[in-house]
Amino acid sequence: MAHFPPEDSLQAFIRPEIAMIPPSATLEINELSMKLENEGKTIYRFGFGQSPFPVPASVVEELRKHAHRKEYLPVQGLGELRREAAAYLTRKTGAPWQASRVLVGPGSKELMFLLQLASRATLLLPAPSWVSYAPQAAVAGGRVEWISTRREHRWQVQPEELEKAAQAAGSGTKVLVLNTPSNPTGHAYERGNLCELAEVCRKNDLWVLSDEIYGDLHHEGNHVSIAAFYPEGTFVTTGLSKWAGAGGWRLGIMGLPAGAHSIAHSLAALASETFSCVASPVQWAAVQAFRQEGDVPVFLDHSRCFLKALGQWVATSLRQAGIETEDPAGAFYLFPDFEAHRHALGAKKIETSAALCEHLLEETGVALLPGSAFGMPGTSLTARLAYVNFDGEAVLERLARNGGACDEAVLRELAPDVIKGIETLCGWSRAAARQVIGDGPADTISVESGN
Ligand code: PLP
């Protein structure tokens, strides 16, 4: 009897453009980390970017109160939530939004995907960028035009580069993706940069997908949105996953430009044929979250204050070990560049970001993600470092008691794994450099404590 399924039908089952998508770098690093951990090695986890903070208590309470809600809600989202989300977007972006222009979905990631699916646009994508935009374009049948950026510009898009990319992308619908504050760099665009980019967008008829999921984690509370300068062409996405620590609740929102009625209609149609609506209790709880009242302002202040202090400590330590990185402005990432160590690393046959991360993990237990996973050329010696490996609940409790002080002693006490991991990474990097100049051991890397 013929065996089912035959091998060729298995291969034909998956569309070629889906089969082409590589497994995510995060998964690969996690698997290697787990293997090493099972072998008894200590792993310093800087790979996974999940908020360490709990969901604010007032928001959890709203979820509890609405746990009995079981009805399907309108596809675009609960009316109360869309009104509150519109008010939130108005406060955060400085542009006016109405409830009719807000779509609620199971995470902002899904809403970005629906936009790509509906438009098949060419994405103008800065390198480096968050890992999911380009695979989403591949699945949706869109194209990507990469925009190169430089460390001297904090890895941010310059107007001339945007102009070039817009020309190179040819005709058709084009969407610039901007993510501020940024995953993977931790940098945030300032008003002047966004004003200039808005001019280029206007001149070239570009749409903008402004991913502002980390907006409320701007370390100074100074988030700026390009929607303030280009409201007619900007889609803004955000949600509860980062500032409210509720990634697993799966709630995101998209604000659509005022004239985009037909796009709103098509996105709602796609939503109705796929996820129908976000879980009712979560939508009710999100009404409270987007109001940002009660315990939320202090929660946000303390989260930002700790992330800022820790991010600056990590960046300073890396610079002292010759690893180039600027202080972050928001979120919980850094994008260190090991370029200054290229010669030393070359002696260990490390010539790509993937090799850099593999060696680091195997030799020291420090888990970073390679820059190539974020659209950087394979040969760049960049990596993403997420400094979230600490107990967010303990941090908030402590800062509530000490009035929000975050000095080095507090960091050492509350984020010991981050501190130890960074000292290990710096020690490795110094030892690699010493080996090349000849005063280190010839065939081993010693791990010392940095400062
Ligand atoms: N955008 C960026 C830059 C992210 O880092 C993430 C999550 O890691 C998302 C969007 C997805 O957020 P959500 O949980 O709202 O889908």
Side-chain angles (χ1 to χ4, degrees), residues 420-439:
K420 186 81 204 325
I422 294 301
E423 288 176 344
T424 302
L425 169 57
C426 292
W428 181 84
S429 173
R430 286 194 180 100
R434 265 209 315 273
Q435 260 187 356
V436 168
I437 54 173
D439 67 349

Side-chain angles (χ1 to χ4, degrees), residues 107-109 112 130 133 179 183 211 213-214 241-242 250:
S108 60
K109 190 191 236 181
M112 291 182 224
W130 178 50
Y133 307 124
N179 170 217
N183 173 7
D211 177 350
I213 192 85
Y214 296 98
S241 298
K242 306 299 173 179
R250 308 309 301 130

Side-chain angles (χ1 to χ4, degrees), residues 131-205:
V131 288
S132 288
Y133 307 124
Q136 285 195 349
V139 176
R143 268 194 334 111
V144 172
E145 184 71 41
W146 288 98
I147 311 175
S148 56
T149 66
R150 294 151 61 131
R151 183 163 42 76
E152 301 85 275
H153 297 137
R154 297 172 184 247
W155 308 109
Q156 293 182 334
V157 177
Q158 301 303 298
E160 357 17 295
E161 297 298 327
L162 176 58
E163 182 82 50
K164 269 195 243 160
Q167 300 301 325
S171 56
T173 306
K174 287 168 267 186
V175 178
L176 166 67
V177 180
L178 273 191
N179 170 217
T180 183
S182 156
N183 173 7
T185 70
H187 293 310
Y189 284 86
E190 288 171 9
R191 299 186 79 77
N193 313 125
L194 291 177
C195 239
E196 287 176 355
L197 293 178
E199 275 318 304
V200 180
C201 292
R202 193 167 280 123
K203 180 176 152 227
N204 289 279
D205 292 334

Side-chain angles (χ1 to χ4, degrees), residues 65-418:
K65 275 205 308 230
H66 291 94
H68 64 285
R69 299 272 186 177
K70 61 181 195 98
E71 65 282 5
Y72 284 101
L73 293 175
V75 169
Q76 281 177 283
L78 177 71
E80 286 87 335
L81 174 56
R82 289 164 64 217
R83 275 194 290 283
E84 212 51 69
Y88 171 90
L89 287 173
T90 303
R91 289 196 308 274
K92 301 292 165 177
T93 65
W97 301 85
Q98 302 81 34
S100 59
R101 290 164 50 207
V102 173
L103 180 61
V104 178
S108 60
K109 190 191 236 181
E110 180 67 21
L111 296 172
M112 291 182 224
F113 177 62
L114 292 190
L115 187 68
Q116 298 210 49
L117 195 60
S119 66
R120 267 212 189 138
T122 297
L123 289 194
L124 307 185
L125 204 51
S129 273
W130 178 50
V131 288
S132 288
Y133 307 124
Q136 285 195 349
V139 176
R143 268 194 334 111
V144 172
E145 184 71 41
W146 288 98
I147 311 175
S148 56
T149 66
R150 294 151 61 131
R151 183 163 42 76
E152 301 85 275
H153 297 137
R154 297 172 184 247
W155 308 109
Q156 293 182 334
V157 177
Q158 301 303 298
E160 357 17 295
E161 297 298 327
L162 176 58
E163 182 82 50
K164 269 195 243 160
Q167 300 301 325
S171 56
T173 306
K174 287 168 267 186
V175 178
L176 166 67
V177 180
L178 273 191
N179 170 217
T180 183
S182 156
N183 173 7
T185 70
H187 293 310
Y189 284 86
E190 288 171 9
R191 299 186 79 77
N193 313 125
L194 291 177
C195 239
E196 287 176 355
L197 293 178
E199 275 318 304
V200 180
C201 292
R202 193 167 280 123
K203 180 176 152 227
N204 289 279
D205 292 334
L206 304 182
W207 296 96
V208 179
L209 172 55
S210 185
D211 177 350
E212 302 182 20
I213 192 85
Y214 296 98
D216 263 320
L217 290 181
H218 189 290
H219 294 169
E220 308 291 344
N222 285 340
H223 173 62
V224 192
S225 169
I226 193 168
F229 313 107
Y230 191 46
E232 70 274 28
T234 302
F235 296 83
V236 174
T237 53
T238 184
L240 303 187
S241 298
K242 306 299 173 179
W243 70 265
W249 286 21
R250 308 309 301 130
L251 188 129
I253 57 169
M254 175 181 278
L256 291 97
H261 305 295
S262 57
I263 301 179
H265 183 78
S266 295
L267 294 186
L270 285 174
S272 81
E273 301 304 348
T274 51
F275 59 80
S276 300
C277 69
V278 174
S280 320
V282 170
Q283 293 207 42
W284 283 102
V287 176
Q288 171 70 16
F290 283 115
R291 269 188 202 129
Q292 296 193 318
E293 289 170 349
D295 56 345
V296 173
V298 170
F299 168 95
L300 274 177
D301 271 0
H302 288 174
S303 308
R304 289 173 185 147
C305 152
F306 193 77
L307 289 174
K308 176 179 167 187
L310 188 58
Q312 288 189 349
W313 184 90
V314 174
T316 305
S317 304
L318 295 179
R319 285 196 298 269
Q320 284 169 352
I323 304 165
E324 289 154 302
T325 191
E326 304 278 336
D327 285 352
F332 31 66
Y333 305 105
L334 288 169
F335 200 62
D337 188 350
F338 292 71
E339 186 59 38
H341 289 312
R342 183 174 288 280
H343 179 56
L345 294 173
K348 290 161 62 64
K349 303 256 174 306
I350 299 175
E351 282 155 3
T352 63
S353 58
L356 171 68
C357 291
E358 254 171 58
H359 274 258
L360 248 180
L361 184 54
E362 278 174 358
E363 293 178 27
T364 67
V366 170
L368 305 181
L369 292 181
S372 53
F374 300 87
M376 295 297 285
T379 51
S380 103
L381 291 176
T382 50
R384 189 195 76 176
L385 187 159
Y387 50 92
V388 286
N389 194 8
F390 58 84
D391 178 345
E393 202 158 338
V395 165
L396 294 180
E397 268 169 29
R398 166 57 67 89
L399 298 198
R401 277 189 278 120
N402 75 6
C406 305
D407 57 18
E408 184 165 340
V410 173
L411 298 180
R412 284 190 177 275
E413 188 192 329
L414 293 172
D417 292 342
V418 173

